[in-house]
Amino acid sequence: FLRSLDEQRAAEAALDSKRRDLADMVRAANLKKRELETEARRYATRVRETRKNEDTFKRTLEELSASADELQKMMNKISSQEWVLPTAFVPLYERRGQLPWPLEGKVITVFGFERHPDFQTMVMNKGLEISPGKDKSLILSVHTGKVVYADYFQGYGNLLIVDHGMTYYSLYGHCAEFLVAVGDMVRAGQPLAMVGDTGSLKGECLYFEIRYKTKALDPLQWLKRR
């Protein structure tokens, strides 16, 4: 009886510890949610101002340029870290022009230089922005790989980077919620995240890049024609 009583007390103590850990996790999640909501409101205000004011637009471009430079530095660091490829592995370059689309929807920003319709300012886009189709919210991996980054990144919102081996990468920005974590192995077509508008100046959409080493490539040359 005494042994059973001790075991019960130990189980109750472990349960109390788990409850406290869970409460801490809930508080942390709520704090993160409030931070993201605040960031979303800030960006919504920035979007309205950007559409009206040329000075705000230019200042936003400077901030995005700085963010792009920081992303370039991070890609330099990531590309210097190698991981062992699975034995049955198809290189990404063999799937050029055949990759599945990461999100069903309409392309609203294309790769390359883009002129702003009102301010006539030229902007270099290193990826695509895809507005989700009706009832489409899942962002899918375009190829087998390993998740090497999943966190908030200034200018890109919630950003996820998948290493496809041989220094090829795919990047997925403006996510609302991640469905995978750093270190996870993913396959082509696997859900990675939910589409969102974090860090976006164009509302809810996916920012998508393909890179070889640190060089951004035109994703339309890699995705299936539709």
Side-chain angles (χ1 to χ4, degrees):
F1 172 78
L2 290 175
R3 186 166 60 252
S4 298
L5 187 61
D6 289 340
E7 291 174 354
Q8 181 180 350
R9 287 171 177 167
E12 289 175 350
L15 182 60
D16 286 341
S17 177
K18 289 182 179 179
R19 285 172 177 163
R20 287 193 295 272
D21 291 343
L22 181 60
D24 290 341
M25 290 173 63
V26 170
R27 282 194 293 270
N30 287 334
L31 179 61
K32 186 67 174 179
K33 181 181 178 182
R34 287 195 294 271
E35 290 176 354
L36 289 176
E37 288 173 347
T38 300
E39 185 71 16
R41 287 194 295 270
R42 186 179 74 83
Y43 259 92
T45 302
R46 174 65 66 85
V47 169
R48 289 193 295 270
E49 292 177 351
T50 299
R51 288 172 178 168
K52 297 176 182 178
N53 189 292
E54 184 173 1
D55 290 337
T56 304
F57 175 75
K58 289 180 179 178
R59 187 165 63 251
T60 301
L61 285 186
E62 291 173 357
E63 292 176 3
L64 291 176
S65 177
S67 297
D69 290 341
E70 289 301 314
L71 179 61
Q72 190 76 14
K73 292 176 184 176
M74 186 173 71
M75 291 304 302
N76 286 333
K77 183 177 179 181
I78 290 175
S79 63
S80 66
Q81 302 169 356
E82 296 184 2
W83 57 281
V84 179
L85 298 172
T87 51
F89 181 81
V90 178
L92 184 73
Y93 63 78
E94 291 190 9
R95 300 287 294 162
R96 182 183 171 96
Q98 304 174 46
L99 295 177
W101 282 71
L103 176 69
E104 291 188 41
K106 178 183 178 182
V107 175
I108 57 175
T109 301
V110 296
F111 179 88
F113 285 100
E114 176 187 31
R115 185 184 297 276
H116 192 280
D118 296 324
F119 307 135
Q120 303 302 311
T121 303
M122 296 298 290
V123 180
M124 175 58 188
N125 302 317
K126 293 187 176 181
L128 302 179
E129 284 181 309
I130 306 170
S131 176
K134 185 178 181 181
D135 299 326
K136 301 298 180 183
S137 59
L138 284 178
I139 297 170
L140 310 177
S141 176
V142 296
H143 193 61
T144 301
K146 180 180 179 181
V147 178
V148 293
Y149 186 87
D151 204 346
Y152 184 84
F153 198 95
Q154 184 67 38
Y156 298 85
N158 291 330
L159 176 67
L160 192 145
I161 301 176
V162 177
D163 184 342
H164 300 292
M166 303 178 76
T167 61
Y168 283 94
Y169 306 88
S170 57
L171 291 74
Y172 311 78
H174 305 330
C175 302
E177 179 183 355
F178 297 131
L179 304 178
V180 292
V182 171
D184 287 353
M185 292 295 298
V186 297
R187 63 187 184 280
Q190 178 177 333
L192 300 176
M194 306 293 290
V195 69
D197 60 1
T198 59
S200 171
L201 293 175
K202 297 184 179 179
E204 187 179 57
C205 65
L206 165 68
Y207 176 77
F208 176 70
E209 277 190 27
I210 290 181
R211 293 201 181 204
Y212 173 60
K213 295 184 178 178
T214 58
K215 181 183 178 182
L217 308 173
D218 184 353
L220 290 179
Q221 295 181 3
W222 292 78
L223 298 173
K224 288 180 181 177
R225 288 198 169 201
R226 19 170 239 191

